[in-house]
Amino acid sequence: MRRTLVSLCVLQAFSPLSWAEVESAEKAGIELQATSITGTADYETAQGPVQGYHATRSASATRTDTSIHETPQSISVVSKDVVEDIGATRLQDALDYAGGVGRANNFGGQGLTTFTVRGFTTGEFYRNGFPINRGYPNMPDANTIERLEVLRGPATMLYGRGDPGGTFNVVSKQPLAEPTVTLGSQLDDQGMQRATLDASGPLDEQGRLAYRLNVVGEGGETFRDHVETERYGVTPVITWQATDDTKVIFEGDFMRNNHPLDRGLTRFTNQKGTASRDTFWGDKDVGKLHNDNNMAQLRFEHLLNDNWTLGGGFQWLDGTLQGNAIEANSLAADGHTLNRNFNYRKLEWTDKDAQLNLTGHFSTGAFDHTLLTGVEFEDYDYKSIIQRSSAAYTSDIFNPVYGKPRPALTSTPTHDKENLKTYSAFIQDQVALTERLKVLAGARFERFEHEYETYVAGGKNWKASDNSVTPRVGAIYDLTDTLAIYADAARSFKPNTGASSGGVGFEPEKGKSYEMGIKWEGLDRQLSVDAAIYQIDKKNVLTTDPLDPNSKVAAGQVRSRGFDLNVAGNLTPEWRVIGGYAYVDAEVTKDNTIRVGSRLANIPRNSFSLLNVYEFQDGSLKGLGLGAGAKYVDERVGQTSNTPFSMDAYTVVDLLSYYKVNDKVRLNLDVKNLFNRDFEEGAFGNFYAYPGEPRTVQVGIAYTL
């Protein structure tokens, strides 16, 4: 950790030593991919900072800079202020207060592999409009988040393949108009040590070239026995205003994460109780999985004239996950002896994504239009090899024995590669029919070509291809200046992985969603409240082949319906709130082996979260902020099956405090899981459950030079 802190100081030493005044504000862009140098304006842009907790505009739901109040969809925006107030270190911490977003499989503590929204598990999410959850990436670091925008319901029309429950888009920090450098450090009583750097400003006298650099170094112990972690990340952003009409943005994110494969607790049916949440049944000497991720985005925006804008860009992703690990196989008849295997894996992936969008504003008669049309091409490559042991390699769940000789790697059950290419075009029109009535309609045309090749003896190669049309239509009507009702219908599309017993690729999963809701802005538009009811159906879910129990067919169907309520804003200049409630009824409606009515994995019927923060604005306590957050998650099942295990409902209360000593120094003291509640945050495979963090005290300091 000492090396990390020294490195941050060295980076600071190379920051520009002199600064010039920045020219007047540039023309605002409207594309999701375009990013302006952020100043101290009184108005909000879709890519810029949020005033407190209340966002008024978003580009994620429409890919145009649109008022959230005028968008016919449920949207929650988690601002940078929320991220800082709760002392978040990972993106998932910020999602806890987005409303109705749950945790699913974290791939043994490696990252945000899947999450849940409106009854469905999904692994698709985005950064500045580009897909970033390809392969097995690291959990995105909170240090780079400007705003986190959660979209409920299908987003396929704009973003391509995905599940119908929803997704989110990370809007990353962009260069600032004024030079600033902030050094930060966080520690907790579980052993975590963390240092950050956030530097930004112009690089030339005219202010046409600007930068932002975020650096993070983290290491130390966790609440899990013998599970230590380390993380290093560098995120540079450079913006170039080439001409008055053309802007180019380069953004990179280079992360190195080392963490043991930690599946958490086991929940076998014959298990005699559950081990304590800190018990690690792996081996402390096996080592860490090395997860290296590289991302580079090159985005641009060109104003053709006052009404038309051309934008787009290219993203390159590259990642590797490799190392040794221990995983559970089964439990002996005694109920406490765990059968394990020692294994080695190397997973590699590369993804290339190119986008080109055209946005225009025009009128036809009395109707005002915002037209968006675009094309996208993605090329995803994935290779994997996994070797496992077969000899006996046991441990006691309740009293693990470490240091046993590792068995030889005798089998290679996985050795394959796959390629997925997608070609797509979309068009969307936002029309103001009257001053109060606005409609949105669009469709995406997409073709995918999927190819899989295995090198395992007896394995089957397969190819699949298909075309899809995913429309979306919505309307919103202002009953008053602050109260609106809306309705939305959309479809989703996602390729299935694998092939039938005949070696033929499966038909893709297809979903359809219907949503009705209400939006209200109060307190001089400083507080937003929205509520929605919905029903989502998905078909072509993989299920057991009735003619071959070892194969699958795309014949299953599932359904989710429910209600969600979300609130965010500034009740007073001192008092900020964000949170939500979600009721979800998600179940199997058709399957060859699973009973109709079975609940979907990791989906609570009820969930609730609310964060309250009060900051004193004057007097002797000026600069002091006090807050409390509460999260409730209902009972869930560990797998969609006839015999799942159950995870109990839980409530977690967090306390936070910070003190702004002056304009340069900010101190924080937080207590997470105040009452030390024992709970499980997510499950995988019907016998793994990952435990939640115990009571944890975290302290930190941020110093702005």
Side-chain angles (χ1 to χ4, degrees), residues 223-224 263-265 277 678-682 689-693:
F223 73 95
R224 301 275 293 155
R263 293 291 193 180
L265 307 176
R277 61 187 164 196
D678 202 341
F679 67 98
E680 295 159 333
E681 63 179 37
Y690 203 82
E693 192 176 24

Side-chain angles (χ1 to χ4, degrees), residues 46-65:
Q47 294 86 23
V50 176
Q51 298 296 320
Y53 287 8
H54 185 241
T56 61
R57 307 191 69 79
S58 168
S60 299
T62 62
R63 296 183 88 109
T64 64
D65 192 335

Side-chain angles (χ1 to χ4, degrees), residues 16 46 399 700:
N399 187 26

Side-chain angles (χ1 to χ4, degrees), residues 478-516:
D478 287 317
L479 298 173
T480 69
D481 290 343
T482 58
L483 182 65
I485 56 173
Y486 72 91
D488 180 79
R491 292 184 177 270
S492 69
F493 159 90
K494 187 178 75 172
N496 269 311
T497 297
S500 65
S501 57
V504 179
F506 300 117
E507 290 188 40
E509 292 184 346
K510 296 181 179 180
K512 56 182 179 181
S513 169
Y514 304 96
E515 175 182 347
M516 296 179 61

Side-chain angles (χ1 to χ4, degrees), residues 307-325:
N307 295 316
W308 291 89
T309 302
L310 185 68
F314 176 80
Q315 177 182 264
W316 171 77
L317 295 176
D318 179 80
T320 302
L321 176 70
Q322 64 178 328
N324 296 321

